[in-house]
């Protein structure tokens, strides 16, 4: 499910059937630490291949992954890893507790969302349980969290309705996998959250180091890109006012164009 522009720009939490997803503010992220938040982002996009070849590389994970057949690799899910790795499971409990209003615990193979925190786990009953996240539901929850964090990539999706058979789907999956392997892996240091906070605080007419911490990640990035577009607009409008617009290249609507829904 893709969140619409209004939902993304709003500070209001997202109410789901199983619980309520928060949109952490920059202050909450800073309190968590930006480094840990980046690690959370890494984990909510992690695949079984990345788990074995990167997280478990020192423990022979890469060799194990490469020893599996392609069918065996495709059958492994992130949820399988969570069930096998207690430390990884506990980290995902942390992540879900950071993003959900409810208290999240892991019991009987499910992430359980409680209406209120309780001291004794034996006191859990149906009245305390708001919802549960299963193996099938977890990828959808992570997709929503990725959108909240602005790290969601729609190109990663594979629409099964577009394929006539399973072979065509597998071919597309391989193509996407090959593209990712050949893509540059360097991150842009200019686009880290701390650097964007600094840039917006020193450029925006009203946001500064005092009030910017109330923004969500989406609000920050939306403001950042709008500020960048407005700077371009000011340059173009000044040029046109001095030299004219004979080539008809000036776009008077640039400052209010909707880039999100494209």
């Amino acid at each position: 499910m893709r969140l619409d522009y209004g939902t993304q720009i709003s500070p209001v939490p997202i109410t789901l059937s199983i619980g309520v997803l928060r949109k952490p503010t920059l202050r909450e992220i800073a309190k968590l630490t930006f480094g840990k938040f980046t690690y959370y982002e890494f984990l909510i996009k992690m695949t079984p291949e990345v788990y074995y070849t990167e997280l478990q590389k020192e423990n022979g994970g890469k060799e194990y992954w490469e020893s599996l057949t392609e069918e065996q690799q495709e059958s492994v899910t992130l949820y399988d890893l969570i069930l096998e790795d207690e430390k990884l499971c506990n980290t995902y409990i942390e992540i879900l507790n950071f993003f959900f209003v409810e208290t999240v615990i892991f019991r009987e193979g499910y992430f359980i969302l409680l209406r209120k925190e309780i001291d004794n786990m034996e006191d859990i009953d149906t009245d305390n349980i708001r919802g549960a996240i299963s193996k099938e539901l977890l990828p959808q929850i992570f997709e929503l969290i990725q959108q909240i964090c602005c790290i969601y990539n729609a190109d990663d999706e594979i629409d099964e309705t577009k394929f006539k058979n399973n072979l065509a789907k597998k071919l597309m999956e391989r193509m996407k996998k090959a593209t990712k392997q050949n893509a540059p892996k360097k991150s842009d240091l200019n686009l880290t959250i701390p650097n964007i906070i600094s840039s917006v605080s020193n450029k925006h007419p009203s946001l500064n180091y005092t009030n910017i911490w109330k923004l969500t990640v989406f609000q920050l990035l939306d403001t950042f890109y709008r500020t960048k577009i407005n700077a371009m607009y000011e340059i173009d409008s000044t040029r046109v006012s001095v030299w004219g617009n004979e080539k008809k290249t000036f776009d008077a609507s640039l400052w209010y164009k909707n880039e999100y829904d494209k």
Side-chain angles (χ1 to χ4, degrees):
M1 179 181 75
R2 187 169 188 266
L3 301 175
D4 60 61
Y5 201 6
T7 300
Q8 281 282 60
I9 207 169
S10 166
V12 177
I14 302 169
T15 302
L16 307 173
S17 59
I18 60 165
V20 181
L21 266 178
R22 298 188 317 109
K23 300 170 185 175
T25 63
L26 299 179
R27 183 181 299 278
E28 290 171 323
I29 293 172
K31 186 176 181 181
L32 177 72
T33 73
F34 291 109
K36 195 166 188 179
F37 183 73
T38 300
Y39 184 55
Y40 281 4
E41 290 181 318
F42 167 77
L43 288 180
I44 61 176
K45 287 185 72 74
M46 187 176 70
T47 63
E49 180 179 5
V50 170
Y51 171 80
Y52 282 112
T53 60
E54 294 187 26
L55 287 189
Q56 296 296 322
K57 186 176 181 179
E58 301 299 323
N59 300 322
K62 184 176 182 181
E63 291 77 10
Y64 170 74
W65 180 257
E66 291 176 349
S67 71
L68 300 177
T69 65
E70 192 169 306
E71 288 186 358
Q72 288 175 325
Q73 290 178 352
E74 290 176 356
S75 68
V76 180
T77 68
L78 181 59
Y79 214 90
D80 294 329
L81 305 180
I82 291 172
L83 293 174
E84 295 175 2
D85 189 333
E86 184 178 355
K87 184 177 179 181
L88 183 68
C89 179
N90 289 334
T91 304
Y92 278 112
I93 293 172
E94 282 183 29
I95 293 172
L96 292 173
N97 272 298
F98 184 70
F99 285 98
F100 272 99
V101 171
E102 292 81 9
T103 298
V104 182
I105 62 173
F106 192 78
R107 289 291 183 278
E108 305 296 331
Y110 292 89
F111 290 101
I112 307 297
L113 284 78
L114 304 177
R115 298 184 188 277
K116 59 181 180 179
E117 190 173 355
I118 57 176
D119 297 326
N120 190 348
M121 293 303 170
E122 295 181 0
D123 294 337
I124 297 176
D125 55 32
T126 54
D127 292 333
N128 290 336
I129 297 175
R130 169 67 191 272
I133 301 175
S134 63
K135 178 178 182 178
E136 294 73 25
L137 188 58
L138 188 66
Q140 299 175 46
I141 297 300
F142 280 172
E143 183 180 300
L144 290 174
I145 295 176
Q146 288 171 27
Q147 292 181 66
I148 290 173
C149 297
C150 300
I151 57 172
Y152 173 71
N153 187 355
D155 293 338
D156 292 341
E157 286 187 359
I158 294 179
D159 187 352
E160 298 189 13
T161 61
K162 294 181 179 180
F163 303 105
K164 294 182 179 180
N165 52 54
N166 196 44
L167 176 60
K169 178 189 173 186
K170 285 188 175 182
L171 288 173
M172 178 57 72
E173 288 174 341
R174 291 178 190 175
M175 288 172 63
K176 285 182 176 290
K177 184 177 180 180
T179 301
K180 287 182 181 179
Q181 289 175 341
N182 295 327
K185 294 186 178 180
K186 286 187 177 180
S187 58
D188 191 339
L189 295 178
N190 296 320
L191 297 179
T192 62
I193 292 180
N195 192 65
I196 293 176
I197 290 173
S198 173
S199 302
V200 172
S201 296
N202 287 279
K203 178 69 174 176
H204 197 273
S206 60
L207 287 170
N208 51 58
Y209 286 127
T210 302
N211 57 18
I212 199 169
W213 303 101
K214 296 179 181 179
L215 299 183
T216 64
V217 174
F218 185 88
Q219 290 171 339
L220 172 70
L221 295 184
D222 187 65
T223 301
F224 173 65
Y225 288 116
R226 288 286 186 183
T227 302
K228 200 164 67 167
I229 288 172
N230 287 343
M232 294 168 57
Y233 175 82
E234 292 298 329
I235 293 171
D236 286 347
S237 61
T238 301
R239 175 181 53 79
V240 168
S241 66
V242 175
W243 302 104
N245 190 31
E246 291 183 4
K247 294 183 179 180
K248 307 296 181 183
T249 57
F250 178 62
D251 185 0
S253 65
L254 181 64
W255 69 275
Y256 67 85
K257 277 192 171 178
N258 184 339
E259 299 292 334
Y260 178 81
D261 289 321
K262 290 182 179 180

